[in-house]
Amino acid sequence: MSRVLSCVLATAAPLLSMAPQAVAAPDNPYSCMGPYLSNDGSAEVESCIYVEDGVPRAFGGLTIKNDTLTRENCTMVVTVVDKDAYAGGASDEVVATSGAFPCLNGRYPSPPLTVDAALAKPGHRYVSFTEVTKDGQGIARIYSPELVLP
């Protein structure tokens, strides 16, 4: 919990347009952490994870609170981490990343980021995090609740 709280710096990006909404299938509820206010108060950020078709899926959420963030100065990335990867012999704990995209109001990527089935290990613990940068500086990293893959 302290790791989550210490990472509750969040931020956003202003745009009047909305990103496509990432949505879980109706029978696949998701777990989210947040929204948390950014360290500069410009946005609220959340990070969500769930299981669909036996693999972790994730998305982030962003609500812009003022015009200090723009498509030009802000990016958001969603990443999924296998917390048990090293114990299983893997060389990297990052199992999926959306890559950077301009900040928009909404939940994204859409469709949600999906871990490749070859990297989804039953019994492993997964978390996602949503990271926001402004002018190249990290201003938010929000972690989702932990998910144990059945």
Side-chain angles (χ1 to χ4, degrees), residues 40-100:
D40 64 357
S42 63
E44 292 179 338
V45 180
E46 69 180 335
S47 188
C48 303
I49 193 166
Y50 63 101
V51 176
E52 186 171 293
D53 297 327
V55 299
R57 298 188 76 175
F59 58 88
L62 184 63
T63 302
I64 298 165
K65 296 294 185 182
N66 63 46
D67 62 358
T68 62
L69 297 176
T70 66
R71 288 181 63 96
E72 291 74 31
N73 73 357
C74 179
T75 60
M76 185 169 116
V77 176
V78 176
T79 302
V80 178
V81 173
D82 178 349
K83 294 177 73 174
D84 297 309
Y86 296 129
S91 60
D92 191 0
E93 65 181 359
V94 173
V95 292
T97 185
S98 65

Side-chain angles (χ1 to χ4, degrees), residues 11-23:
T11 199
L15 284 176
L16 298 176
S17 62
M18 295 293 287
Q21 295 297 299
V23 179

